[in-house]
Amino acid sequence: MKDNSGVLTTVLVEDSGKSEVNSKKRELCALISPVVFWMVVFVAIPLLLVVGVSFLQRGIYGGIEYQVTINNYIRMFNPMYFRIIWNSVVLSFFTTIICLILGYPFAYFTARAPQKIRGMLLMLTILPYWTNSLVRTYAWIILLRTEGVINTILLNIGVITAPIPMLYNESAVLIGLVYVLFPFMVLPLYTSIEKLDRSLLEAASDLGATPLKAFFKVTLPLTKSGILAGAVMVFIPSLGYFFIPDLMGGSKGLLISNLIKNQFLTARDWPFGSAISIILIAITLIIIFLYFRNAGSKEKLEVF
Amino acid sequence: MKLCKKFWALTVILVVLGLITVLFAAGCGKTEGSKPKLASELNLFIWSEYIPQAVLDKFEQKYGIKVNQTNYSSNEEMLAKLQAGGTSQYDVAVASDYMVEIMLNQKQPIIQVIDLNNVPNLKNIDPQYRNKVFDPDNKYSVAYVCGSAVIAVNKDKIKESIKSYKDLMNPKYKNSLVVLDDERAIIGIGLKLLGYSLNETDEEKIKQAKDVVSKLIPNIKAYDSDSPKTLLINGEAAGGVVWSAEASLAKRENPNIEIIFPEEGMYLWQDNLVITQGAPHKKEAELFINFILEPEISAMISKEFPYTNPNLEARKLLDQSVLEDKSAYPPQDVLAKGEFLRDVGEATKIYDELWSELKQKIN
């Protein structure tokens, strides 16, 4: 069938003459050229620059010296850097899992809520994000610190006798990341749960499935694409948010994002910083590749 | 075909609109610029919590020049941002002694000569803060304030007597200190403990120093150069190594804070106002530097941020209590034991690398 229609179009086009073909081509060029221009200027050139710099050497005081080397990559074969990458991936993984556990019920009830309050619930998810994320991070610091709001309340009502150290450790970073990235999980989940055909659930219950079984056999598999989309949208940015570990983790440089930031701002080793960035991009690409493979056909993709 | 036309029409409209905006903006700029000789803004690059907003407001009131303040939290960060974004993005920057030296030692110096004819208030600066080794003819820099890195301890939380950096390594203080997020200051602790100079260039010795400092790492709760006093005041940190004025500000809020001059010798510094190479507002920059050196203005700065004020005329205007603040005006014998930083040349790379490694250590 497909082949036939292709032939048919060709015949039609040939019939209406060459000028038509040319103008179609021109139209296509006109439509594509802004996108190409955008991609070249804002994606390809900066990326090539980073790749290029990662093979050069740093000057004494920073900057770049134009001598080609692969030392920046060799330097990364150090257990310390492997541990940092591993720590980052683990932390991002837990951020994603916690976002999913908290976000799924939230998205589920939002999508199942009456039309009237659904909009409001979604609005409430997004509303805090109209404030600067730094300000919101500082709010968390006030809540979590040793003599902060939470510890003071718990001490006063006698639940604890000594303040719990909640700030400047890994769990603080985890809280911060989950908080900042939460809507990125909820929104794709909401879309896929809302689209779910309810008659399928009715059919499941007619066939004797308990609600729990129907959830695991019908709802969950059918919203898999939303889960995957949400997971990717949380996991990838969480690898790059350096200000959360800086502010809530006490700037102790636990993650790959801080390592990169330190290379550019304190150590002034741009080539090494670029090399680590390339590694981060590689990790991201692998994840996106896995995502595309698991999400199956294009129609099922919620984002991208 | 239709789509194509629409696209081109849209492009043309956008281009025309853009041109109109540009021309309009240029026209406005000209008419504005022709009346007063001075520009209407000045870009200042300075440490965070280092200049009161009131000072900037007064400058704007007096000259009609708005000062845009951008902050950094270490000399290295400042240098990196100037290198990355070009020096002409700021007019006036504040750089410590060794950083002035580094900025001058570049193939293309990052700072330029200040026309001292426009800075008559330089006479107010105590001669001992002029013509220093990093700028022998005092051509490129003008002293802003001076200070040191001191040990601050909350007596409520740390009962033992602390005299030296070594005492901070006590495992009892695990995860309870706040220290400066500053490579030369923190690696310097190790150098001083080993009896070396803060300006050591020998790789082996710097590595030894790093190994010594790594014993302090488990005790570090947070790195903070911007406002370590916050952690000391709110009880988050039991003590730490912080800038002198941060320690005295913390003491004002919490009298239990004790300031200690480490017996190994302190890290001393002098911060300076410099004008960047290619600064778009050089005249205004000189005007601003002269303004900062006015006794009343300089005194305002010292009242809010109690560092050592090198301005003799300003000191006359300060309360006795400010002048008696030992962390701002340490005794002579303490100063004599202290050391200023110098540019360490090639060894900068070693400090940078070791600092990255230290900061990646996980408690």
Side-chain angles (χ1 to χ4, degrees), chain A residues 146 165-170 249 252, chain B residues 168 170-178 216-222 235-239 363:
Chain A
T146 309
M166 287 184 283
L167 203 57
Y168 305 118
N169 51 35
E170 280 193 49
K252 283 188 279 196
Chain B
L168 290 178
N170 189 337
K172 270 173 98 173
Y173 315 141
K174 191 170 178 349
N175 201 28
S176 66
L177 305 178
V178 54
L216 185 67
I217 300 284
N219 287 356
I220 295 174
K221 185 167 202 180
E236 196 68 58
N363 305 358

Side-chain angles (χ1 to χ4, degrees), chain A residues 11-234:
Chain A
V11 172
L12 278 174
V13 169
E14 271 179 4
D15 266 3
S16 47
K18 265 188 180 171
S19 63
E20 187 77 7
V21 178
N22 278 343
S23 78
K24 267 215 165 152
K25 266 189 187 165
R26 242 183 283 144
E27 197 170 302
L28 204 68
C29 278
L31 279 173
I32 292 177
S33 56
V35 181
V36 172
F37 176 77
W38 180 272
M39 294 298 277
V40 168
V41 171
F42 293 106
V43 180
I45 294 178
L47 192 64
L48 284 175
L49 210 66
V50 175
V51 173
V53 170
S54 74
F55 287 102
L56 296 175
Q57 274 175 2
R58 68 166 283 183
I60 299 172
Y61 303 105
I64 300 159
E65 254 166 38
Y66 294 93
Q67 274 172 305
V68 178
T69 172
I70 52 161
N71 274 338
N72 298 313
Y73 290 95
I74 293 173
R75 241 177 97 186
M76 237 164 326
F77 286 95
N78 174 330
M80 185 178 82
Y81 296 123
F82 281 133
R83 211 174 56 201
I84 292 164
I85 294 174
W86 175 245
N87 278 339
S88 311
V89 171
V90 168
L91 193 71
S92 293
F93 176 75
F94 280 111
T95 307
T96 314
I97 294 295
I98 295 173
C99 273
L100 182 63
I101 292 171
L102 296 175
Y104 200 93
F106 188 90
Y108 191 87
F109 290 116
T110 310
R112 289 280 178 269
Q115 192 79 43
K116 270 186 194 168
I117 52 169
R118 205 184 292 170
M120 204 180 72
L121 283 174
L122 267 187
M123 194 67 181
L124 286 175
T125 324
I126 307 166
L127 198 66
Y129 293 82
W130 292 358
T131 328
N132 185 298
S133 50
L134 273 179
V135 176
R136 285 181 284 120
T137 310
Y138 272 103
W140 272 106
I141 293 178
I142 292 169
L143 286 174
L144 294 180
R145 68 187 187 207
T146 309
E147 287 170 14
V149 178
I150 296 175
N151 269 324
T152 315
I153 293 175
L154 290 179
L155 279 172
N156 283 341
I157 57 173
V159 177
I160 49 171
T161 48
I164 313 168
M166 287 184 283
L167 203 57
Y168 305 118
N169 51 35
E170 280 193 49
S171 43
V173 179
L174 194 60
I175 292 173
L177 284 172
V178 167
Y179 172 69
V180 168
L181 294 166
F182 186 67
F184 293 98
M185 180 61 92
V186 169
L187 295 178
L189 278 177
Y190 169 82
T191 332
S192 68
I193 296 171
E194 202 203 15
K195 270 197 291 187
L196 184 70
D197 190 350
R198 274 194 215 198
S199 55
L200 291 174
L201 289 175
E202 281 160 20
S205 102
D206 286 347
L207 290 171
T210 59
L212 201 68
K213 198 168 183 186
F215 175 79
F216 282 109
K217 290 272 177 196
V218 180
T219 314
L220 213 54
L222 284 175
T223 52
K224 186 182 144 199
S225 56
I227 296 172
L228 277 172
V232 167
M233 285 181 74
V234 170

Side-chain angles (χ1 to χ4, degrees), chain B residues 29-196:
Chain B
K30 259 181 202 162
T31 47
E32 249 177 48
S34 62
K35 266 190 272 169
K37 269 186 181 170
L38 295 168
S40 58
E41 59 171 14
L42 182 76
N43 297 314
L44 172 67
F45 201 26
I46 190 168
W47 294 85
S48 49
E49 309 221 20
Y50 218 38
I51 192 160
Q53 186 57 41
V55 166
L56 303 182
D57 292 343
K58 269 207 158 163
F59 183 68
E60 189 176 357
Q61 263 172 32
K62 196 166 173 186
Y63 297 103
I65 301 172
K66 188 181 178 327
V67 182
N68 306 316
Q69 184 184 180
T70 310
N71 297 130
Y72 54 81
S73 31
S74 72
N75 274 299
E76 286 72 24
E77 185 186 335
M78 172 195 59
L79 181 64
K81 285 188 174 167
L82 285 175
Q83 284 173 333
T87 56
S88 60
Q89 49 181 333
Y90 305 106
D91 301 298
V92 179
V94 172
S96 298
D97 30 44
Y98 74 104
M99 192 46 71
V100 172
E101 212 174 357
I102 288 179
M103 289 167 129
L104 286 171
N105 282 347
Q106 306 291 314
K107 271 177 225 144
Q108 280 191 318
I110 291 177
I111 52 180
Q112 59 173 307
V113 175
I114 301 172
D115 185 353
L116 292 178
N117 292 324
N118 295 332
V119 192
N121 284 336
L122 186 64
K123 65 176 193 307
N124 296 340
I125 299 282
D126 186 342
Q128 64 163 314
Y129 299 103
R130 286 193 246 159
N131 307 318
K132 302 282 286 226
V133 62
F134 56 85
D135 181 14
D137 304 321
N138 220 133
K139 272 163 46 187
Y140 295 93
S141 63
V142 171
Y144 180 64
V145 292
C146 311
S148 55
V150 298
I151 298 178
V153 166
N154 187 334
K155 281 279 142 204
D156 260 354
K157 305 195 180 214
I158 293 185
K159 309 282 184 201
E160 294 81 0
S161 121
I162 304 283
K163 283 196 182 109
S164 85
Y165 291 128
K166 204 172 178 63
D167 297 330
L168 290 178
M169 293 182 180
N170 189 337
K172 270 173 98 173
Y173 315 141
K174 191 170 178 349
N175 201 28
S176 66
L177 305 178
V178 54
V179 301
L180 295 168
D181 196 354
D182 197 289
E183 56 179 74
R184 295 286 301 270
I186 301 305
I187 297 177
I189 291 177
L191 289 168
K192 277 290 164 194
L193 276 168
L194 290 166
Y196 299 146

